[in-house]
Amino acid sequence: MVDKGNEIFEIEDDELLGESDNVRIMDDVNTLEDELLGEDGPTVPKVGMKFKDENAVLGFYKSYAYDIGFPVRKRNSKNGDDGVVKYVTFTYSQEGRRSSTASTSLKPQPTTQTRCKTRLSACLETYGLWRINSVILEHNHLISHSKSRLYRCNRELSAHVKCRLEVNGVVGISLYKSFNSAVVEVEGYEQMTCVEKDCRNYIKKVRRLRLGEGDVAIQAYFSRMQIQCPGFYFSIDLDEEARLKNMFWADNRCREAYKEFGDVVTFDTTYLTNKYDMPFAPFVGVNHHGQSTLLGCGLVSNEDTETFVWLFRTWLQCMHGQALIGIITDQDRAMQNAIQIVFPNTKNR
């Protein structure tokens, strides 16, 4: 039966239903989901509510959380013997507890995790319906509806904004101006479904070297250098679509200098004014004259942990697996994470 007043769709587990009944069930579920997202305010999740699939459950819970003012995430899921997801739990995105009380420059103490028990669990039942089987709605922290649009789970870039960013980037308009024009178009920051950081991350993602004429020329140049100088080393990282993401190179002079002056190295990324606006990543040491000496160079498409892990591993392979004693970087967290993975015994300052 469907209780329209309580907006709960119930089916008895031992009820035998035919094909026509199954169609009726799905129609009622669709009607119910439309009602749950009505204009009468947020509908409170209740045990027994049923939905047509897992995404519908998540969509309903995210809508409720948005109206109340807290972010959500999938905490865990469980598959059945057939490999199909049968059970899923959604929680407050900062749910959990601190795993350590230690606080160092390499492992700062988390400050956002709470022990909030708010959660919603659902399971897959007969006829492919998902049923909410447990709900906890109490919070042990402040919630704010006004901040809902700023939570990561609610932010997204529309196709229109993505197109604007890419076109403006090609003609040289700064990201700051592009974002502000989007704000003006929707009549205020409160109407934006993203923040400036999301736009910057998107531009970083799409601003990769493509294997066009110029990029093939780079590969050809590196190949010629390797023939002329047997000690010349280079490596190119491609994505799934054969687009150039990252590159590293070092000549024989860099490799020989590392053998003598590679105890402590400084590493940082700086932007060059070029067509791609890609971060340039040099490895620099100090020779016996107190002068800076280059120990390798890289161009990277992003400044995340995955990219730095690739760059550090490539550089280590170039230097015959000889790990350095110390490395000096800025306070970039992604760099520190990559150093811990690739150089676990190296001191980072």
Side-chain angles (χ1 to χ4, degrees), residues 66 146-150 155-156 175-199:
Y66 189 98
S146 62
K147 295 182 180 179
S148 290
R149 69 178 186 85
L150 301 177
R155 301 199 312 252
E156 62 179 7
L175 185 140
Y176 175 77
K177 291 182 179 179
S178 297
F179 179 73
N180 281 347
S181 67
V183 172
V184 172
E185 185 175 355
V186 298
E187 301 181 351
Y189 289 96
E190 295 76 12
Q191 308 302 321
M192 290 291 292
T193 59
C194 62
V195 296
E196 185 175 347
K197 182 179 179 181
D198 298 324
C199 298

Side-chain angles (χ1 to χ4, degrees), residues 125-137:
E125 291 193 335
T126 311
Y127 306 105
L129 299 180
W130 280 82
R131 178 182 186 274
I132 297 178
N133 53 20
S134 68
V135 178
I136 300 177
L137 302 178

